[in-house]
Amino acid sequence: MRETVLVTGAAGFIGFHLSLRLLKEGYIVVGADNLNNYYDKNLKAARLSLLNQESSFIFEELDIIDGSAMAYLFAKWQFDIVFNLAAQAGVRYSLENPLVYAKTNMVGFLNILEGCRHSKVRHLVFASSSSVYGANTKMPFSIHDRVDHPVSLYAASKKSNELMAHSYSSLFGLPCTGLRFFTVYGPWGRPDMALFMFTEAILKGKPIDIFNNGEMKRDFTYIDDIVESIFRIMYNVPEPDLDWDSNNPDAATSYCPYRLYNIGNNTPVDLMYCIEILEKRIGKKAIKNFLPMQKGDVQKTWADVSDLEKAIWFIPNTPIEEGITNFVEWYREFYNV
């Protein structure tokens, strides 16, 4: 029998690409999304229209904060594997509308945990974020280090997901894997992400805002590498770590079936270099508006992916030049510019 999987946030950037891959591999994919207006709903609709062309894709429009709807969804389908990619994203927006982060990222995630618990899901794979490293400055960021100093509510909500998942893994034996994504980009990306906003502004001849006067580095990770990593992790169902020591607790593993992984390119790139590549691919210079560091942001991210490589024999490796080229080509085609 073909396995049935749930992908929450299926009309979102990562959820869309993961759903396509799962469908290609022969899974029955139930995609859930509330299609909110955090960014352009037309982009979400376009992603969804492609997924709906596949006979093995079933779309459920619902909000994960609706406990009754989620309980019904889990009872109806009896999922083998659950991928939680639904979240209120964005560091900046968390400064403006913090309540939605508590509702979606915490209450919504609790509903997913409850559904997995009661329907005995074999593996819950959930999206965390590189933002959880917060004020940490030791590079590269390691999953074995403590992350107790978030600098945004978004980061705090993602850290809470990791804690909540661990509690359910401990209490109910639910296998959980948390994935800390590092600056994901590529075709069909989110309009609130820097490379997307820069591309749009440069093409329209509008200025781009560059924070911390351009002194920023990001571990940009191409979407295809993200999806490949998630797909392989799906088969790597965590088991209790028999070597886990409560006197010297490892933050990345546990006595229960729980694991954390970084998914990043392991190559921090200067933001100004990314802008140079964009200018070359677009064929137009950017109008640069240099600004100080904004609240909730960090200067540099860099993923230690050694544990990921050991677990799945793969690490993200798409060069930033190739990834940006693919993104610009998609953007021109999709927006007809």
Side-chain angles (χ1 to χ4, degrees), residues 33 39 58 74 78 104 144 203 214 268 276 297 302 305 321:
D33 204 296
Y39 62 79
I58 301 98
F74 275 88
Q78 292 297 309
T104 302
H144 302 287
L203 284 166
E276 288 179 21
D297 212 345
W302 180 7
V305 293
E321 297 84 359

Side-chain angles (χ1 to χ4, degrees), residues 38 88-101 152-154 192 211 294-296:
Y38 171 64
Q88 179 54 60
V91 170
R92 298 175 195 176
Y93 190 59
S94 69
L95 302 177
E96 304 168 14
N97 195 352
L99 188 59
V100 71
Y101 288 79
S152 71
L153 185 64
Y154 170 69
D192 64 322
F211 293 97
Q294 61 180 344
K295 286 185 177 181

